């Protein structure tokens, strides 16, 4: 029997919140919860040869999202992902309790019923022990700053870089923080390709790092903040969208928060932080990203064009952050 693939958050860009950041493989199902709009589109485009259109199922929350995805000719489920009973009844035909992680529980039930191994891919590290305790093999994909136009039907832009562009246009000036921080970054197409590689390995029944060893940091390259902003200022000025190619310093975190439209306590985390991620697992499965920092900087005008055409991301991350700030 062929494995089926369930991609949840299928109307999204890629990932927006912990709830929408899972992938699971259960018995004859591969189940994704990873804001998978771009995953759906790239899989349909045949970027991974082992994944067939007829095996793809997409889960969304609203009727409007369901209609948009139905036009792709795939199976669509309108599903409340916070309700384990709903998840189990729709996917597995079992009744079960409500918990914070409904899919590992549903996968565990399916494994017991079928005797087949089950798998779960997620971006939330808190699921590792939960999945292990239920006999479900887990993988953690950790996306850094994601850029590029998504290929999904609903949300096609990310958050951090588009918001920076929007703020620069609104202020008629490109601003920076006092330190030149370095982001880990990945283009959306390279990120979906990483998911494809993991799924292919599962379908081929190859043993790859999982559980506490199964972290896949999707870092394609580093991105120096000031170099990005320098290029952005030049490109925006050429379009007449900012008044100068010279970058100014943010006068305060409060001013940055107001311009970016995010609560002040999240500004430094999202726009002025660095990391030193080193990851080997991504190479062990043959992931070869095609985007580099130079390629991104050379095509910065594409990012501007996407923002001008598509506007702000339809992202639950934004509402989640604003909700957290309000307590």
């Amino acid at each position: 029997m062929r494995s089926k693939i369930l991609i949840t958050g299928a109307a999204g860009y890629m990932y927006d919140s912990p709830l929408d950041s899972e992938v699971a493989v259960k018995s004859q199902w591969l189940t994704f919860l990873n804001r998978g709009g771009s995953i759906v589109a790239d899989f349909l485009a045949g970027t991974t040869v082992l994944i067939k259109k007829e095996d793809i199922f997409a889960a969304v929350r609203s009727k409007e999202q369901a209609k948009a995805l139905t036009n792709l000719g795939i199976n669509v489920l309108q599903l409340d992902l916070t309700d384990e009973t709903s998840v189990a009844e729709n996917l597995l035909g079992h009744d079960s309790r409500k918990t914070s992680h409904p899919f590992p529980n549903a996968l565990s039930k399916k494994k017991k019923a079928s005797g087949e191994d089950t798998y779960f891919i997620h971006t939330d590290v808190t699921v590792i022990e939960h999945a292990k305790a239920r006999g479900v093999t887990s993988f953690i994909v950790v996306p850094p700053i994601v850029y590029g136009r998504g290929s999904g039907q609903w949300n096609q832009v990310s958050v951090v870089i588009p918001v920076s562009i929007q703020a620069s246009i609104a202020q008629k000036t490109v601003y920076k923080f006092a330190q030149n921080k370095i982001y880990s970054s990945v283009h959306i197409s390279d990120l979906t390709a990483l998911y494809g590689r993991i799924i292919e390995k599962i379908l081929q029944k190859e043993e790859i790092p999982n559980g506490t060893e199964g972290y896949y940091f999707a870092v394609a390259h580093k991105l120096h903040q000031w170099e990005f902003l320098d290029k952005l200022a030049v490109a925006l000025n050429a379009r007449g969208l900012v008044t100068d190619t010279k970058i100014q310093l943010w006068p305060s975190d409060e001013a940055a928060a107001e311009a970016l439209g995010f609560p002040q306590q999240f500004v430094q985390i999202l726009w002025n932080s660095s990391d030193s991620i080193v990851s080997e697992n991504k190479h062990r499965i043959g992931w070869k990203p095609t985007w580099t920092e130079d390629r991104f900087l050379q095509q910065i005008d594409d990012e501007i064009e996407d923002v001008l055409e598509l506007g702000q991301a339809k992202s639950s991350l934004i509402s989640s952050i604003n909700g957290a700030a309000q307590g």
Side-chain angles (χ1 to χ4, degrees):
M1 184 182 297
R2 296 185 60 87
S3 294
K4 298 182 180 64
I5 302 169
L6 173 66
I7 304 178
T8 67
Y13 174 74
M14 185 67 200
Y15 67 99
D16 283 342
S17 68
L19 174 63
D20 295 322
S21 306
E22 308 171 305
V23 178
V25 180
K26 51 180 180 36
S27 182
Q28 300 304 324
W29 283 86
L30 293 179
T31 310
F32 295 69
L33 284 81
N34 203 315
R35 215 57 187 164
S38 294
I39 294 177
V40 171
D42 286 1
F43 284 4
L44 289 176
T47 55
T48 52
V49 296
L50 295 180
I51 299 172
K52 307 300 181 182
K53 179 178 180 179
E54 59 268 23
D55 297 328
I56 298 175
F57 290 71
V60 296
R61 288 194 177 96
S62 72
K63 291 182 180 179
E64 189 176 7
Q65 294 168 343
K67 182 179 179 180
L69 289 173
T70 299
N71 293 334
L72 293 176
I74 59 174
N75 305 287
V76 179
L77 296 176
Q78 188 178 337
L79 191 60
D80 179 1
L81 301 179
T82 65
D83 186 339
E84 185 172 331
T85 300
S86 175
V87 170
E89 288 178 349
N90 274 276
L91 304 183
L92 307 172
H94 291 294
D95 291 328
S96 43
R97 299 177 292 113
K98 290 184 180 181
T99 71
S100 59
H101 300 297
F103 273 89
N105 288 354
L107 293 175
S108 178
K109 288 178 177 291
K110 184 63 177 179
K111 180 178 180 178
K112 291 176 181 178
S114 68
E116 298 283 346
D117 288 335
T118 60
Y119 306 85
F120 189 63
I121 308 175
H122 202 289
T123 61
D124 182 1
V125 299
T126 66
V127 307
I128 295 176
E129 293 301 325
H130 188 86
K132 181 180 179 180
R134 285 151 182 80
V136 177
T137 302
S138 65
F139 308 87
I140 302 297
V141 174
V142 184
I145 297 295
V146 186
Y147 62 89
R149 185 168 185 152
S151 52
Q153 293 291 299
W154 186 257
N155 184 22
Q156 296 181 315
V157 294
S158 186
V159 175
V160 173
I161 288 177
V163 167
S164 297
I165 295 172
Q166 288 175 318
S168 298
I169 294 172
Q171 300 293 308
K172 298 292 185 182
T173 301
V174 177
Y175 284 91
K176 66 182 180 181
F177 290 97
Q179 293 180 307
N180 187 14
K181 296 298 180 71
I182 302 174
Y183 303 138
S184 291
S185 306
V186 65
H187 189 275
I188 182 66
S189 63
D190 285 331
L191 181 53
T192 62
L194 176 59
Y195 278 92
R197 291 299 296 167
I198 295 174
I199 297 307
E200 286 180 339
K201 296 299 182 182
I202 295 173
L203 291 173
Q204 293 167 338
K205 300 188 182 302
E206 291 188 29
E207 185 72 23
I208 61 174
N210 59 78
T212 56
E213 301 297 322
Y215 285 83
Y216 294 82
F217 292 91
V219 178
H221 60 81
K222 298 297 184 180
L223 180 61
H224 295 76
Q225 186 186 78
W226 285 6
E227 281 77 354
F228 155 58
L229 294 174
D230 282 338
K231 291 285 189 180
L232 179 63
V234 171
L236 288 174
N237 181 257
R239 288 172 172 259
L241 297 174
V242 298
T243 57
D244 199 338
T245 59
K246 185 178 180 180
I247 303 174
Q248 303 295 324
L249 285 176
W250 285 113
S252 65
D253 281 1
E254 183 179 5
E258 183 176 355
L260 294 166
F262 272 70
Q264 184 174 333
Q265 60 265 46
F266 291 98
V267 167
Q268 289 290 327
I269 297 172
L270 291 173
W271 281 277
N272 194 37
S273 60
S274 295
D275 61 70
S276 55
I277 296 173
V278 177
S279 175
E280 297 298 328
N281 284 344
K282 61 187 181 183
H283 301 302
R284 292 176 184 174
I285 63 172
W287 183 56
K288 297 179 180 180
T290 61
W291 281 76
T292 63
E293 181 176 18
D294 285 344
R295 183 179 177 185
F296 167 72
L297 293 176
Q298 289 169 8
Q299 299 189 41
I300 194 67
D301 209 57
D302 291 345
E303 298 294 318
I304 298 171
E305 188 64 34
D306 289 343
V307 168
L308 293 175
E309 179 182 343
L310 301 172
Q312 189 178 53
K314 302 171 185 176
S315 169
S316 62
L317 174 63
I318 297 173
S319 57
S320 296
I321 286 176
N322 287 329
Q326 295 170 6

